[in-house]
Structure formats: C-alpha cells, structure tokens
Amino acid sequence: MSAAAVVHVVVSGLATGSIYALMALALVIIYNATRTLNFAQGEMLMVSTFVAWAAQRAWQLPLPVTLLVAAAAGAGVALVFERAIIRRSIAATHWDVLIITVGLSLMLRAAAGLIWTHEDFAFPSFFGNRPMVVGPIRLAPVSLGIIGGSLLLMLGLYVLFTHTRIGRAMRAVAQNQRAARLMGISVERMYSLSWVLAGVVGAIAGVLVAPVTFLSTKMGLVVINGFTAAVIGGFGSMPGAVAGGMLLGVIENLAPLYLPSGIRYSVPFLVLIAILLIRPAGLFGRVEQRKV
Amino acid sequence: MRRWALGAAAAGLLAWPWVAPRYLIFLASLVLVNAVVAIGLNLLSGYTNQLSFGHAGFLAIGAYAAALLTIHAPTVPVIVTLAAAGAVTAAVGLGFGVPCLRLGGLYLSMATLAFGFVVSEVILSLDGLTLGADGLRVPAGRLAGFTLATDTARYYLTAAVAAALVAAAVNLTRSRVGRAFLAIRESEVAAQASGVSLAAYKTAAFGVSAFYTGVAGGLFAFVVGFLSPDAFDVFLSVDFVVMIILGGLGSVPGSIAGAAVVTVLHDWLAAFQNFRPLIFGAILIACMLFMPGGMAHALRPPGRR
C-alpha cells in the first residue's frame, strides 16, 4: 500500500467522518438541552434532503438556494415535532421520549417512501468530478468539499455557542436548568431552539452527503453512526462528537485495507466496544457523579 | 380468582389449534416466541434498568445454534436442542455482560446496539456454517420418536416451553434475586448499601435474559423453519424494546401482552406494507403520550399503582 493511496483513503475517511460528526453534533445539541436522545435525527436529515431535492427539481433552483430550502425544511420538521409531540411528553422518562422518537423515525421513513418511493436518486453536487492531483496524491473534490463545508458549519456552531447571547443561554440550560431559569432564560424556548438547530445541522449534512451516497429513504440509518461517534467522543461533549466522528470515518475507511472483508461493517462497533471498555464515558466524557 | 384465570389461560392455550385456522396457529406460536423474548428482555431492562437494543442478536445466536445442532445431530431430542441453544446464548450473554458492567444507561444501550450488528456480520461471514445471506433451512425437530413437522406440533412445543419459562420468570421475580433486581432498578447506590452485589446481579440478569432469548431463538428456528441474517436486524431489536415498554417495564404479564399486541399488529398491517411503519409509529407515539407505564400500569386498579 503506497503512502499516496493511504492519504487518499484517509481523506475520504475524513469526509465520511465529517458527516458522522455533524450527525453526532445534532444529537448532542438536543441531548444537552433536553437530556433526550433523538432517534429520528437520521430520518429528519433524510426528509429535509428529499424536500430540497423536490424543490430543486420543481423550480430548477440553484444549489445554494437548495441548501437553504433543506435547512428551512430541517428547521420546520424539528420545530413541528418539538412543539406538537416532544413538549407534551416533558414529564415522561428519557426512555419514553426515546421510544417516541423511534416512532417518529418509523413514520417519517414510511411517509417519505409513500411520497418519493424507496428508490435511489442522484443528487446534484456542488463539486466537480475531476480528481485534484497534488504531486502523487489524487484527491476527490467531493471529499474536500464535504470536509470544508462541515468545518465551516462547526466553526459557525462554535461561534454561536461561545460568542452569542443565545449560545450562552443554551449552554446555561445544559448546565443547570433551574439556575438558567432564575437568570431569566426561557428554558422551553431553548428546547425548541436546540431542536431547530439540530434539524438545520442535519439538513446541511444531508445535502453535503447526498451526492455521494445517493438520495434514498435508507439515508436515515446514518443516525446509528452518529450515535456511535457521539458515544466514542463522550456523549454531551461537542469536541468529542467531532473527534469521534472523524475517528470513526477514518477507521471505517482504513479497516478494509488491512482486515478481511467479512468483518468490514462491524469495525466501527468493535471500535466502539473497545473504546467503551477502556474509557466507559467515551474519549472526552466525564464520569457522572452518582448521587443518592 | 387467580386460579380460575390461570386455568382459563391453560385451557385456551390447549384448545387453540382445534378452534383456530392453520395460519392463526402459526401466528400464536410466533406470539409465544416473542413473549419469551420480551420476558427475557424485561428481566434485564425492566428489572435491572439495563436497556438493550441488541436482543435480535441474542435471538439470532439461539436460532442458529438450534438449527445447526438439528442439522448435524438430527436425533437429539428437541428439548435438549433448545436447552443447548439457551446455554450457548447465555454463555455469550455472560461474556458480553461482564465488560458491560462498567457501562451505564446510554452507553450500555449503544454497546448492545453494536453487539447486534456484530452478530449479523459474524453470521454473514461464517457462510461455510450458516450459508450466509442465502439463509438456512431448519429441519423439523424430533421428540420421543415423533417428528414435529406440523404447525400444531410446533405450536404445542412452543406453548409448553413458553409456559414453563413464564412460570420460572414469575417465581424468579418474587424471589430474593427478583427483589435484588428491582432494588438495582430503583437505586443502584441504595441497593449496594443494602448488601446487593451490583456486579453479581447485573451479570446474572444478562445471563438469564440471554438464556430466555436463546431458547426463544431455538423455538423461532423451528416455528419459522428458515433463518437468514437480515431477519435479525436492528428493527427487530427495536420491536422487542417496544413490546416491553408498551406492555410495562418490570411486569411479566405486561411482557406477554406487549408481545401479543406488537406481533398481531405487525401481522394485521402486513397487507398495508407501505403504510405499516406509519401506522405502527403513530400507535407507538400515542401509547407513549397517553399510556406511559405501559398496559400493565394502565390496567392495574388505581390503588395498587
């Protein structure tokens, strides 16, 4: 295996990993604010990408507008869910809310299948197909585009969470709800906002990845890799989610080069189990204090 | 009152193949298989609060163990085959449960989810033994000189095994062990302070749960007669979790009721292939919003909640 080929595989691994990282970030944003796990995140990504695709085909929209449509669709779906269903179950246990989101994901997937069928569709790409040649290394522009786009989005999230009033309010809610409420923050609004933010992040990830993986109702399964990434990084930690996603993507792409193909798809899960055994709270997670 | 109800249930179980059409006999067998899985999962999740999204993996191990044993040793009585399937699965469950002691809540659920994927992958890659994605045809089991080749015979086998396992589970939950499980669910710290060994009981819960699911897997292999790895995907694991949450966490009758409702619902909605997940999802959400605690909680008289 030449070094150039390894670089190529690592870069495409980072591209896959960026999508996992965005998925993990979306899950962590909702988890931090509401302490619930959104199993429907993958299906939200799938539906918003489908909506953008349908709008693009109907009105011949330019791609940047398509991206905006996807983001708006992601925000809309998330807002409707949070307001109509999740908020009603605010007194329920975390497992109950998890089951509700499982129900939501089943419904979204079935509805998308009824509207757009369960086939694969090509999605237009921002980036060309000609590989970029740097010395002996050949890189796919799509991979670089996905990495760049994701990094921009992550930077945006970083600025939002550290340098804006709203971001600080969301972090306050994540840390201590009662204290946040006493400081005049509307906790309910932050719940909605975290869902909307996660919906937008997921939608952008969907538009970035759809040209590579094709658009289909199966896209939503990426949520499982998102979970894995978030858990590897330590659930609740945003840098952890990014690191976990990138690590997972690279390992998943490198593993087939060195291991028999039979266990290829188990690799991420074996990595997950291995990391959890060494660090039960993930790479960046803190072990929660047990209180009586 | 209790005795009457039990007697009626036993009579109903025995009489079912005479009154029901052939397909419903098969469906009843499937309900019983799922009920055993649901009880097994509930012993782990409902009693010790370790939610597993990987029970389809345990079911697959039991099913393939029973199928392979029947193929390679056709003369072994079916009861021994089922016990072996349970034992193999329990061994895997213990092996997986010990390292999982370090994990709590969400992390444990993720590890079990990962376990389910790894099992499917292993079945696919051991295609010399399991025939991989082509699937494996399971020959009929034998018991005391008879071949269990009809739906009715398989139904009676399933019913007898399920009844025994239900009785065992009810007894277990009322014993010292069952109370220790419940104490762990309510508060790990308090349980530990009262002298309950967390490590021992949590591992035991994993082993018992895997044993139940492994036996159910063996029954599944005989009832369905054909195994392929894609039958044991993550959605099946989710179905099992839905069964116990719908039925009621920490309730044996609830597990049975949840298994029955989910299995029959899946079957009813089979004609509406494309609408099925839509309706299923809507029912799931409605149950969670309006009946939290599951059927066992909703049906209990108000004073005993």
Side-chain angles (χ1 to χ4, degrees):
Chain A
M1 182 62 47
S2 71
V6 171
V7 171
H8 176 83
V9 172
V10 168
V11 169
S12 46
L14 285 176
T16 323
S18 308
I19 299 300
Y20 296 165
L22 290 183
M23 213 55 209
L25 277 175
L27 292 169
V28 167
I29 288 171
I30 291 185
Y31 178 80
N32 277 352
T34 63
R35 295 287 145 194
T36 56
L37 204 54
N38 178 18
F39 200 85
Q41 188 70 53
E43 263 66 26
M44 282 162 52
L45 169 154
M46 183 266 293
V47 166
S48 16
T49 316
F50 258 112
V51 169
W53 173 77
Q56 199 266 341
R57 289 226 316 185
W59 299 301
Q60 303 299 322
L61 299 176
L63 270 174
V65 181
T66 313
L67 186 67
L68 286 182
V69 172
V77 171
L79 192 65
V80 169
F81 278 171
E82 203 278 332
R83 282 292 165 85
I85 297 170
I86 305 295
R87 186 165 293 187
R88 284 167 192 275
S89 58
I90 230 156
T93 66
H94 304 323
W95 295 132
D96 290 355
V97 181
L98 177 62
I99 298 300
I100 288 176
T101 61
V102 169
L104 282 177
S105 79
L106 289 176
M107 290 179 73
L108 276 181
R109 195 172 151 138
L114 289 174
I115 300 172
W116 292 295
T117 75
H118 289 284
E119 279 160 38
D120 288 2
F121 300 98
F123 195 91
S125 174
F126 280 99
F127 315 103
N129 285 326
R130 285 249 316 269
M132 289 162 59
V133 181
V134 186
I137 301 165
R138 295 160 70 85
L139 297 172
V142 178
S143 302
L144 296 179
I146 291 179
I147 299 172
S150 310
L151 286 181
L152 268 182
L153 184 56
M154 289 168 196
L155 186 69
L157 285 175
Y158 176 77
V159 172
L160 175 77
F161 276 105
T162 50
H163 286 77
T164 66
R165 250 179 104 80
I166 278 189
R168 278 199 295 269
M170 288 179 77
R171 284 194 310 168
V173 171
Q175 267 179 22
N176 187 333
Q177 283 193 6
R178 187 181 289 180
R181 209 186 281 279
L182 288 173
M183 294 301 118
I185 296 168
S186 162
V187 174
E188 287 74 18
R189 189 170 296 165
M190 293 305 137
Y191 283 177
S192 297
L193 202 62
S194 66
W195 271 78
V196 167
L197 199 57
V200 171
V201 171
I204 295 175
V207 172
L208 284 176
V209 79
V212 185
T213 60
F214 291 104
L215 179 64
S216 81
T217 49
K218 290 190 290 290
M219 271 178 102
L221 283 178
V222 71
V223 72
I224 291 174
N225 299 75
F227 277 135
T228 313
V231 169
I232 287 177
F235 221 104
S237 154
M238 294 209 181
V242 175
M246 297 292 184
L247 188 67
L248 193 62
V250 171
I251 290 176
E252 201 180 278
N253 276 261
L254 274 181
L257 298 184
Y258 302 102
L259 294 171
S261 64
I263 56 167
R264 173 174 181 180
Y265 294 99
S266 318
V267 167
F269 304 112
L270 294 174
V271 170
L272 171 75
I273 293 176
I275 287 184
L276 285 183
L277 292 184
I278 303 162
R279 282 189 62 88
L283 292 178
F284 289 69
R286 270 172 304 184
V287 178
E288 280 178 33
Q289 292 275 300
R290 282 198 201 162
K291 290 182 187 143
V292 183
Chain B
M1 177 63 202
R2 241 189 101 72
R3 196 166 290 176
W4 283 107
L6 277 179
L13 271 182
L14 281 175
W16 184 250
W18 273 290
V19 295
R22 189 162 164 243
Y23 180 70
L24 287 188
I25 302 175
F26 168 75
L27 188 63
S29 308
L30 216 51
V31 167
L32 291 168
V33 170
N34 284 338
V36 174
V37 181
I39 292 171
L41 181 60
N42 218 337
L43 287 175
L44 183 69
S45 304
Y47 282 85
T48 62
N49 208 11
Q50 310 183 83
L51 199 62
S52 159
F53 278 103
H55 263 52
F58 288 122
L59 190 76
I61 294 174
Y64 272 93
L68 291 174
L69 189 60
T70 316
I71 288 171
H72 295 292
T75 50
V76 173
V78 76
I79 295 296
V80 177
T81 310
L82 289 176
V88 169
T89 316
V92 175
L94 286 177
F96 181 69
V98 170
C100 281
L101 284 174
R102 281 159 63 91
L103 306 177
L106 200 62
Y107 294 94
L108 179 80
S109 301
M110 276 311 304
T112 54
L113 188 72
F115 171 79
F117 278 98
V118 173
V119 169
S120 313
E121 193 86 335
V122 168
I123 291 172
L124 274 176
S125 57
L126 289 179
D127 49 4
L129 204 58
T130 62
L131 302 184
D134 293 340
L136 191 64
R137 194 159 286 288
V138 187
R142 293 175 69 84
L143 188 63
F146 294 100
T147 308
L148 304 175
T150 64
D151 277 327
T152 309
R154 289 190 284 257
Y155 167 81
Y156 277 124
L157 171 73
T158 313
V161 173
L165 288 176
V166 168
V170 169
N171 280 331
L172 180 74
T173 55
R174 287 189 190 145
S175 70
R176 192 182 162 82
V177 179
R179 286 195 300 274
F181 283 173
L182 277 179
I184 292 175
R185 175 181 78 175
E186 295 305 325
S187 162
E188 292 195 357
V189 177
Q192 215 164 10
S194 318
V196 173
S197 161
L198 277 189
Y201 281 100
K202 280 180 144 183
T203 319
F206 244 104
V208 173
S209 179
F211 178 81
Y212 267 74
T213 315
V215 173
L219 291 171
F220 179 87
F222 290 121
V223 167
V224 176
F226 181 78
L227 302 177
S228 78
D230 50 335
F232 303 99
D233 60 2
V234 59
F235 296 105
L236 186 63
S237 294
V238 171
D239 277 351
F240 292 142
V241 173
V242 171
M243 286 174 197
I244 61 165
I245 291 191
L246 196 61
L249 288 173
S251 159
V252 172
S255 314
I256 301 171
V261 168
V262 171
T263 314
V264 172
L265 209 57
H266 261 300
D267 186 66
W268 271 357
L269 297 176
F272 312 95
Q273 198 63 45
N274 289 327
F275 290 90
R276 181 163 75 174
L278 196 66
I279 302 170
F280 202 67
I283 293 174
L284 206 56
I285 295 172
C287 282
M288 281 296 113
L289 287 182
F290 303 116
M291 203 174 62
M295 293 186 282
H297 190 85
L299 296 179
R300 211 166 288 169
R304 291 185 55 195
R305 282 184 188 173

